[in-house]
Amino acid sequence: MQSVETDAKELLERGPPYKLPELKAILKYHQVKGCSSLKKTAAEAKLQEIIGRGTHAPDYGDWTDADEEKLLTLTTKPITLGDTSLGRLRTVKRMELHAAINHMSKEEREDIRNKMNAADDMEVDVEPASIVPILPNLPGESTPPTSAAQLFPDEMSDVEDDGMQVEVV
C-alpha cells in the first residue's frame, strides 16, 4: 500500500488534469470500492465528491518490528480443533446435550443410560459401514416410501396414539 499512497500523494500535489489510471490510483488510495471499473467521467465525479466533502484518505502507518512480530506469532501459532468452526460446533452440540439431559425425566435418562451402556458393550467394526448414496427422486421414477419404523426401529413406530398410520416420504 506504500506505493499507492506515495503515487497518489504525488498526483494530488501535481494537480489536475488526471488520466484515467491516475484517477484510479487516487481513488484506490481513498479506498473507493469498485474504482477499477469506473470510466473517466465517473472517476472524475467520484474524486470531486471526495474533494468536495473534504474527506482525507486513511493514514497508513509504517510497518514496524512490532507488527512483524505480531504477524510471525499469528502465522506460527498452532491451530487447535477448538479454534475451528468444527470445534466450536462440537462445543455447542455438547452444551445442547447437557441442556437436554437436564430437562429429561428420570425414565428418559435411564433409557439413555441403558443405550449408552449397550453401546459400550458392542464391538466396533474396524471397517467403516458401507456408504449408500442418497439420490434425488427424479420425475417419472417411482420409489416406495420408507417408513420411520424401518429407518429407526427402536426409536419410532408408524402407529401413533390415535391409530393413524404415518409414513416418512
Side-chain angles (χ1 to χ4, degrees):
M1 204 66 190
Q2 194 79 20
S3 67
V4 172
E5 180 182 16
T6 308
D7 293 345
K9 283 183 177 179
E10 288 174 2
L11 291 168
L12 288 169
E13 285 177 18
R14 187 193 78 202
Y18 301 115
K19 296 178 182 173
L20 182 59
E22 296 169 338
L23 285 168
K24 288 181 179 181
I26 295 169
L27 293 175
K28 186 175 181 183
Y29 171 58
H30 280 273
Q31 295 182 352
V32 174
K33 293 193 184 324
C35 66
S36 61
S37 63
L38 295 175
K39 303 228 185 281
K40 186 171 183 184
T41 54
E44 286 173 338
K46 196 70 158 167
L47 180 60
Q48 288 305 318
E49 178 187 327
I50 291 169
I51 292 171
R53 284 189 312 220
T55 306
H56 296 287
D59 291 329
Y60 296 99
D62 293 331
W63 191 259
T64 64
D65 289 338
D67 295 328
E68 188 67 34
E69 187 65 33
K70 285 181 190 176
L71 178 64
L72 184 64
T73 302
L74 290 173
T75 56
T76 58
K77 175 185 172 189
I79 298 173
T80 63
L81 184 63
D83 296 332
T84 65
S85 180
L86 179 62
R88 289 187 290 277
L89 177 65
R90 185 173 72 175
T91 302
V92 167
K93 292 296 181 186
R94 215 176 256 152
M95 291 168 60
E96 289 172 351
L97 174 65
H98 287 279
I101 289 172
N102 290 338
H103 290 89
M104 285 183 180
S105 66
K106 276 188 171 183
E107 294 81 24
E108 289 173 320
R109 284 194 307 270
E110 187 62 34
D111 185 42
I112 295 288
R113 199 173 290 118
N114 290 337
K115 287 181 181 181
M116 295 294 286
N117 289 337
D120 287 343
D121 294 339
M122 286 185 197
E123 289 188 31
V124 179
D125 292 337
V126 176
E127 294 183 27
S130 62
I131 297 174
V132 178
I134 299 174
L135 302 174
N137 290 334
L138 300 174
E141 283 189 24
S142 175
T143 56
T146 305
S147 68
Q150 289 173 314
L151 295 173
F152 308 102
D154 62 340
E155 293 290 324
M156 302 177 163
S157 110
D158 284 349
V159 180
E160 292 185 354
D161 295 337
D162 60 1
M164 192 164 90
Q165 187 78 10
V166 177
E167 285 189 352
V168 176
V169 180

